[in-house]
Amino acid sequence: MTTTAPGGPLAAELPFFVYGTLLPGEPNHDLFLRGRTAGERPAVLPRALLYDGPGYPYAIEGHGRVHGTLLVAAPGVYGELLGLLDHLEEFLGPGHPRNLYERVAREVELPGEADAGDGADAGHGAGESVRAWVYLAAAAVTRSLRTGGVLIPGGRWTTGRS
């Protein structure tokens, strides 16, 4: 089940699942995350597809898996980090017509040690699952991607770019 919650102090303090320019080694990681995370680890978003965008990817609901990183906010900076990410992802509030992305709470899989490889079944085993904020493409963007978007095979943005 997917749920959306507004920003601000009433938002659940969930970790964040990132899959594009916020990944370690990507341009927005240092700009937005340096000094603001207490932990980062590989994770997989099930039931999602990844599409190429204009310099950044979009994840949408679908029959696939998106690979990324789970981020835990450092103590005392959750509100700041949430605001920064909402601004970066152009999330103005649940269902807002000008949203580029919707921030939704989804179950994210944390692969166990035996699952952490790059094989076709990586992430399907004994790892745990946690609820996290994920920025999925907003409704209008999703419709456009489904009709004319470029799907990234394997759900890994860093390996999907040319």
Side-chain angles (χ1 to χ4, degrees):
M1 179 173 168
T2 300
T3 56
T4 307
L10 300 178
E13 289 196 14
L14 299 175
F16 298 90
F17 174 80
V18 300
Y19 53 84
T21 65
L22 289 164
L23 288 168
E26 295 297 329
N28 284 331
H29 185 272
D30 280 349
L31 286 173
F32 291 90
L33 301 176
R34 183 185 310 183
R36 294 184 179 102
T37 63
E40 301 180 10
R41 63 186 282 198
V44 176
L45 177 64
R47 298 173 310 284
L49 297 170
L50 195 62
Y51 282 86
D52 205 10
Y56 47 88
Y58 294 103
I60 67 170
E61 304 276 353
H63 298 288
R65 299 166 65 74
V66 174
H67 297 266
T69 298
L70 186 74
L71 309 169
V72 175
V77 301
Y78 188 85
E80 174 192 6
L81 183 58
L82 182 67
L84 285 169
L85 296 181
D86 280 354
H87 179 74
L88 173 68
E89 306 296 1
E90 297 182 40
F91 172 70
L92 304 173
H96 194 286
R98 291 195 337 249
N99 281 350
L100 184 60
Y101 292 89
E102 289 285 340
R103 177 169 35 89
V104 297
R106 287 279 304 269
E107 291 297 316
V108 175
E109 297 170 358
L110 300 172
E113 291 302 315
D115 302 319
D118 289 328
D121 292 326
H124 287 281
E128 62 180 295
S129 178
V130 299
R131 200 141 181 87
W133 289 125
V134 179
Y135 291 90
L136 297 178
V141 176
T142 296
R143 284 191 296 275
S144 175
L145 292 169
R146 287 192 189 278
T147 59
V150 176
L151 185 65
I152 297 174
R156 282 186 205 273
W157 185 64
T158 54
T159 58
R161 291 180 291 156
S162 25

